[in-house]
Amino acid sequence: RVRECAVVGVPDDTWGEAVAVALQTVDGRSLDLDELRQWATDRLSKYKLPKLLRVVDDFPRNAMGKVMKPAVRDLFGG
């Protein structure tokens, strides 16, 4: 199960920007990313599908507890 996720745009040579998703699982459980991709493919339009998926232990947060999207984007290399 997914506890929390953050969706960011990352640079893409073709489209300018692509969808990337960082996920945190419940109690650090493992997650089959291929199974998640298939689940998303069955429910989302092709252009909405994440190009990149990554499981993280925790999200970078500011002093107010909000997820810092620029830091999440950095997890994907840019």
Side-chain angles (χ1 to χ4, degrees), residues 1-3 23-32 55-57:
R1 269 181 33 197
V2 174
R3 173 186 298 258
L23 306 159
Q24 181 184 21
T25 60
V26 175
D27 299 327
R29 295 180 186 171
S30 64
L31 181 65
D32 183 348
V55 176
V56 297
D57 293 329

Side-chain angles (χ1 to χ4, degrees), residues 8-74:
V8 295
V10 294
D12 182 77
D13 293 336
T14 305
W15 303 107
E17 200 169 56
V19 178
V21 178
L23 306 159
Q24 181 184 21
T25 60
V26 175
D27 299 327
R29 295 180 186 171
S30 64
L31 181 65
D32 183 348
L33 293 180
D34 290 329
E35 185 178 320
L36 182 60
R37 275 190 183 93
Q38 184 58 52
W39 179 88
T41 300
D42 293 343
R43 290 165 177 78
L44 297 173
S45 300
K46 187 174 181 176
Y47 73 94
K48 292 180 181 182
L49 290 173
K51 181 176 181 180
L52 301 169
L53 292 169
R54 175 160 295 157
V55 176
V56 297
D57 293 329
D58 201 5
F59 290 105
R61 298 180 186 275
N62 64 17
M64 298 293 292
K66 291 185 176 185
V67 174
M68 297 187 306
K69 295 280 186 109
V72 172
R73 186 176 299 110
D74 291 343

